Structure formats: C-alpha cells, structure tokens
Amino acid sequence: MAGLHLAYLAMDQLAGLATLLTTASPSVTAPSVMARSVLETASQAYYLLDPAADALERIRRQQNYRLVALWESRRLLDPGQSRDPAASPTAVRKADEKIEVILRTAPKFGQSPRRSKGNRSVPFIASTEHTKAVRAMPLIEDVVGGNGGLGSLVYRLGSAVTHGQQHRITQFFEHMGSLLDHTHGDAFGRLEASAKKTSLYLGAAPVAVMRMLSRLYERFGWPTQELVAANRNVAQVWGRIAEVPLNTGQSVGAAFQPETRAETQ
C-alpha cells in the first residue's frame, strides 16, 4: 500500500509538471523543481516495490521513510529551530515518542536501530544485509540511470535549483557578447529555455515514472499492454521535442544514451 500511494503521488506530480510546461508563461526553474519531486517519489515507490524484498524487508524500508518524515517534522516543530508560531515542545515530544516506538520494536525482528546524533543524522533501521541509510541519489540512479550516470546528473541539476544555487539557472543564460557595465565588466545576457533543452533536462522524470509503473504492474500482476503503448507514445513525443532519434518501439529510458547525457552536461 505504501508503494501504491507513492505511485499515485508520483503520477500527480508528473501531471503537475505537465501543467507547468503547458502554461502560457512557464517559469524557467519551477519545472526543474517539480521534476526533482517526481524523481524522488517515483524512486521511493520503485524501491518499496522491489520484488527481491520480502515482507519484513519492505516493512523495514517503509519504517525508515517514516523515520525520515518524523525526524524532519521534529526539526520543523522545534521552537528552538523554527519560526513557526505553531511549533511547540509538545509536538516535538510526540514526534520523539513515535520515533522511539519504531526503533524500540526493530530488534524484535532481528533488525538494528540506529539513533540520530543530535540533529546531524537521521535515525534508521539497519539489518544484516543493509547497514547504511539509503540516500535519494542511488535510488534515482537505479531507476533512471542504470549505473550510466544519468540519474545522478539529473538529481544534481534539480537539487541546484531547490537549494538556490546558481549552477542550474545559469544554464539558461545566453551571453550576448557585449558589456552592460564597462566599469564593472558586467556582461549582458538573457534567459532562454528552448523546448529541446527543457526536454533534455526533464526527460528523466517520465523515465522514472514508467519504470515505477512497470514494477507496480508486475507486482500486482496487471496486464501491461496499455502501459507498453503509453511508454512508446511518451518516447515518441519526448524524442521529437528533444530531437533525439528513436527506433520503433524504443522506450524513453533506452533513448538516454551517452551522447544525450553529454549534451545535457
């Protein structure tokens, strides 16, 4: 159920991304932020629906996501760290109690709770096979990049926008070859986002959703004919906009070859 809920959420976010892209005057950076949300949500669902995970492992993975959410909520609710007037010691105590219940129960199932060290680390549940907390980037690389580097690249680009860094935004700048201020050497430029560049930047979002849906359909034994057709249609539309040649029946994920990644970089 946790994987199914996240799958619906990822599809809603992808629909939101489509809305952003079809508005009369879309923001340059907003689609990148939404695409990052799609990647994170779809990769989490993909992770929870892993057919190699037994029931206990799926519970462990879901509980770790619960711990992350509770830990983040605790930080936001702490009066000493938040400007929110609704923040209160009572809310922090309740979050701590929920975290403690999860960690205290884990050893009963042969799992090892790892408590946070102050506010510097997230608590998580380890097992004999999994001794480290799972990070977003490896999951995205697994669902999108296939160890080819695309998932990590796209996630870094999206993170740059979210954290207010200039790296992602400057990729939309076109230098005009003239100075605006000769005294300070300020160069004149303009923001320009073409459909081709945007599709290359955001193409990993539909890849992640398609991979997630494929695993979801396999999990529940649903017929995949319509999913295969949808995958092919998305690939054709995306390939036409991104000007990436696609073979008949090629999926979106198969279209991300090294030459595409190089252009994205």
Side-chain angles (χ1 to χ4, degrees), residues 50-68:
D50 186 354
D54 59 18
L56 185 59
E57 172 59 16
R58 285 196 299 275
I59 292 174
R60 187 192 71 85
R61 295 182 181 190
Q62 171 62 9
Q63 292 292 64
N64 276 333
Y65 280 131
R66 287 191 64 202
L67 288 171
V68 172

Side-chain angles (χ1 to χ4, degrees), residues 38-257:
V38 173
L39 285 169
E40 290 192 356
T41 305
S43 65
Q44 287 182 18
Y46 186 82
Y47 179 64
L48 291 177
L49 293 166
D50 186 354
D54 59 18
L56 185 59
E57 172 59 16
R58 285 196 299 275
I59 292 174
R60 187 192 71 85
R61 295 182 181 190
Q62 171 62 9
Q63 292 292 64
N64 276 333
Y65 280 131
R66 287 191 64 202
L67 288 171
V68 172
L70 288 168
W71 184 75
E72 291 288 354
S73 297
R74 186 195 184 285
R75 296 183 66 188
L76 292 173
L77 294 170
D78 190 342
Q81 303 185 45
S82 174
R83 297 180 181 179
D84 187 349
S88 69
T90 302
V92 173
R93 187 180 69 254
K94 289 182 177 180
D96 283 338
E97 290 174 354
K98 292 179 181 179
I99 290 174
E100 186 58 31
V101 168
I102 295 174
L103 296 178
R104 191 173 61 247
T105 306
K108 298 180 181 179
F109 300 95
Q111 299 171 338
S112 305
R114 305 291 175 86
R115 287 171 168 76
S116 61
K117 299 177 181 178
N119 288 321
R120 294 176 296 174
S121 61
V122 181
F124 75 101
I125 300 172
S127 65
T128 55
E129 295 83 11
H130 306 86
T131 58
K132 295 183 179 180
V134 175
R135 305 298 180 186
M137 190 175 293
L139 292 182
I140 293 172
E141 181 60 41
D142 182 35
V143 72
V144 177
N147 297 322
L150 177 68
S152 300
L153 169 64
V154 175
Y155 185 68
R156 286 198 301 270
L157 293 177
S159 298
V161 174
T162 305
H163 296 297
Q165 300 172 7
Q166 295 182 355
H167 170 65
R168 184 67 171 84
I169 299 176
T170 56
Q171 297 192 47
F172 294 102
F173 274 105
E174 180 180 339
H175 295 285
M176 307 304 294
S178 58
L179 291 178
L180 182 66
D181 186 337
H182 291 274
T183 304
H184 299 92
D186 296 332
F188 174 66
R190 66 181 181 186
L191 280 172
E192 183 172 349
S194 67
K196 176 181 178 180
K197 287 185 177 180
T198 301
S199 61
L200 289 173
Y201 290 141
L202 308 182
V207 175
V209 172
M210 287 299 178
R211 292 288 304 280
M212 172 200 70
L213 288 175
S214 295
R215 180 165 279 188
L216 180 68
Y217 274 51
E218 293 172 1
R219 174 69 191 170
F220 289 97
W222 296 339
T224 59
Q225 292 87 342
E226 293 184 2
L227 184 62
V228 172
N231 193 5
R232 185 183 303 113
N233 291 337
V234 170
Q236 291 173 348
V237 173
W238 178 84
R240 184 170 65 250
I241 297 173
E243 299 179 18
V244 175
L246 298 177
N247 298 324
T248 303
Q250 188 176 15
S251 66
V252 182
F256 282 106
Q257 299 300 322

Side-chain angles (χ1 to χ4, degrees), residues 15-45:
L17 175 60
T19 300
L20 282 175
L21 295 175
T22 54
T23 54
S25 54
S27 166
V28 173
T29 58
S32 299
V33 177
M34 182 62 77
R36 178 179 185 240
S37 297
V38 173
L39 285 169
E40 290 192 356
T41 305
S43 65
Q44 287 182 18

